[in-house]
């Protein structure tokens, strides 16, 4: 018998700048900070009637029976993290994305367009910000005195129409009330990737490309020095960020510049260049990916 969807609010939250925390504080202290933030977020979710679906690294996914409960939990999460003392000079900050709509439940997990949109919202959020899609804001209505600010309309993969994007104003201060709205203009930049005769274009609707030896990767790397899951490029609006998750590192060369090693960290791509996996390009130039970014201007 086919399962019927149920309406839930889906919330994603992650620890902002966790890569930098690991770099500056060391693995043990950074892991402790990330775990502390995840604990705060889990407790805030439970306090508003929510359920933690899963945690992945520095990110948490929760579901709530109503949009109002999800936004209240999001505000509680931000407030609790905001009041924490800086760690070795580093403020702990989180980003949150929320959506409300039909989901399919399978065991403890949930799936569907609502989940995908919530995951997209958290990518749009800045540190200490809560971003919600239009359906979530509509479901809240005028209840609970939740204040929102319309940002823009954005295209989302799998949807014919653009979705409305809002900021949930959780800091009720005069400065925030008077702050001018800065619209999120629709992303227009494209990134062209070429590897082994194959071309892949990251444009609107393509937010992630994975590299590695695994056949499931978008671009499969044959070099034995490459890891099974080696690196990924994430689209963050009109920016493209390479994230290395490998054992041997990734080497990025921008046109006209020196080669830059990237290991267990990320780097923003710009212009044109090449990417070598597991070793410098000069050590073995036989396999390389090239990129070319077409600006949004």
């Amino acid at each position: 018998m086919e399962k019927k969807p149920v309406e839930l609010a889906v919330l994603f939250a992650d620890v902002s700048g966790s890569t930098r925390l690991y770099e500056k504080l060391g693995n043990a202290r950074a892991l402790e900070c990330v775990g502390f933030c995840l604990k705060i977020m889990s407790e805030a979710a439970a306090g508003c009637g929510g359920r933690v679906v899963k945690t992945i690294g520095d990110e948490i996914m929760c579901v709530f029976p109503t949009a109002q409960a999800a936004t209240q939990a999001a505000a509680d999460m931000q407030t609790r993290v905001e009041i924490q003392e800086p760690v070795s000079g580093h403020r702990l900050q989180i980003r949150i994305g929320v959506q409300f709509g039909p989901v399919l439940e399978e065991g403890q997990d949930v799936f569907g367009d609502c989940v995908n949109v919530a995951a997209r919202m958290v990518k749009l959020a800045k540190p200490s910000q809560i971003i919600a899609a239009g359906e979530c804001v509509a479901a809240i209505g005028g209840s609970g005195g939740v204040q929102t600010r319309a940002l823009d309309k954005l295209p989302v993969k799998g949807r014919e129409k653009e979705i409305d994007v809002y900021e949930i104003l959780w800091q009720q201060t005069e400065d925030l009330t008077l702050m001018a709205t800065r619209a999120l203009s629709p992303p227009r930049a494209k990134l062209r990737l070429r590897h082994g005769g194959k071309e892949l274009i990251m444009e609107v609707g393509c937010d992630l490309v994975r590299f590695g030896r695994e056949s499931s990767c978008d671009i499969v790397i044959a070099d034995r020095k490459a890891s099974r899951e080696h690196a990924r490029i994430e689209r963050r609006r009109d920016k493209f960020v390479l994230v290395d998750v490998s054992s041997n590192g990734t080497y990025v060369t921008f046109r006209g510049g020196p080669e830059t090693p990237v290991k267990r960290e990320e780097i923003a791509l710009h212009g044109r260049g090449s990417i070598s996996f597991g070793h410098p390009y000069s050590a073995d130039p036989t396999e390389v990916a090239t990129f070319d970014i077409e600006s949004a201007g």
Side-chain angles (χ1 to χ4, degrees):
M1 183 176 179
E2 186 177 347
K3 292 183 178 180
K4 293 184 178 180
V6 296
E7 288 204 327
L8 294 174
V10 180
L11 179 153
F12 282 92
D14 65 32
V15 181
S16 178
S18 60
T19 301
R20 184 170 177 79
L21 281 177
Y22 279 95
E23 178 185 344
K24 298 298 182 182
L25 303 180
N27 290 341
R29 188 70 178 104
L31 184 62
E32 182 181 340
C33 290
V34 170
F36 179 65
C37 287
L38 292 174
K39 182 174 182 291
I40 287 176
M41 293 187 283
S42 298
E43 291 175 349
C48 293
R51 173 175 68 85
V52 175
V53 176
K54 55 189 169 185
T55 59
I56 307 172
D58 64 355
E59 184 176 66
I60 191 170
M61 175 186 175
C62 312
V63 292
F64 299 83
T66 65
Q68 173 68 24
T71 53
Q72 180 59 58
D76 288 351
M77 291 176 188
Q78 291 288 11
T79 301
R80 294 189 193 189
V81 172
E82 180 77 11
I83 64 176
Q84 302 305 315
E85 292 292 329
V87 180
S88 299
H90 295 275
R91 284 182 59 207
L92 298 177
Q93 294 178 296
I94 60 175
R95 309 179 304 164
I96 301 176
V98 193
Q99 171 64 320
F100 180 82
V103 300
L104 289 174
E105 295 182 299
E106 187 172 310
Q108 295 298 307
D109 213 342
V110 294
F111 303 90
D113 176 70
C114 178
V115 177
N116 296 336
V117 172
R120 184 80 171 97
M121 294 301 101
V122 76
K123 290 182 180 180
L124 294 176
K126 298 175 183 177
S128 299
Q129 193 175 41
I130 303 169
I131 297 295
E135 290 93 341
C136 182
V137 172
I140 297 169
S143 63
V146 177
Q147 294 188 29
T148 63
R149 178 168 57 201
L151 295 179
D152 211 335
K153 293 179 179 288
L154 289 177
V156 171
K157 185 178 181 180
R159 286 205 174 194
E160 292 183 5
K161 296 183 178 180
E162 296 179 326
I163 64 171
D164 295 315
V165 179
Y166 293 81
E167 179 180 4
I168 304 295
L169 305 180
W170 63 276
Q171 292 173 307
Q172 303 305 321
T173 66
E174 183 178 358
D175 289 343
L176 187 55
T177 302
L178 296 176
M179 188 184 302
T181 299
R182 290 187 295 177
L184 296 171
S185 58
R188 292 175 292 163
K190 297 180 181 180
L191 181 146
R192 294 181 183 273
L193 288 165
R194 295 181 177 88
H195 172 268
K198 175 182 178 180
E199 181 178 84
L200 192 154
I201 301 177
M202 293 187 71
E203 50 190 343
V204 174
C206 181
D207 296 324
L208 179 68
V209 171
R210 298 180 301 126
F211 302 85
R213 295 198 340 262
E214 283 284 359
S215 59
S216 60
C217 291
D218 301 292
I219 294 181
V220 179
I221 307 300
D223 197 312
R224 299 302 299 175
K225 289 188 178 179
S227 298
R228 295 183 182 277
E229 292 279 347
H230 192 95
R232 62 181 183 269
I233 294 178
E234 298 178 359
R235 182 191 187 101
R236 301 177 186 173
R237 296 195 54 72
D238 276 324
K239 293 183 179 180
F240 298 92
V241 179
L242 182 141
V243 182
D244 176 81
V245 293
S246 70
S247 300
N248 295 324
T250 304
Y251 294 79
V252 180
T253 303
F254 297 104
R255 186 176 183 181
E259 189 169 55
T260 302
V262 184
K263 187 170 183 179
R264 296 287 175 172
E265 56 185 351
E266 58 185 46
I267 185 171
L269 302 180
H270 59 83
R272 299 179 179 178
S274 61
I275 307 169
S276 182
F277 305 90
H279 52 72
Y281 174 75
S282 58
D284 185 357
T286 57
E287 187 170 20
V288 65
T290 62
F291 63 88
D292 184 355
I293 296 177
E294 299 176 9
S295 68

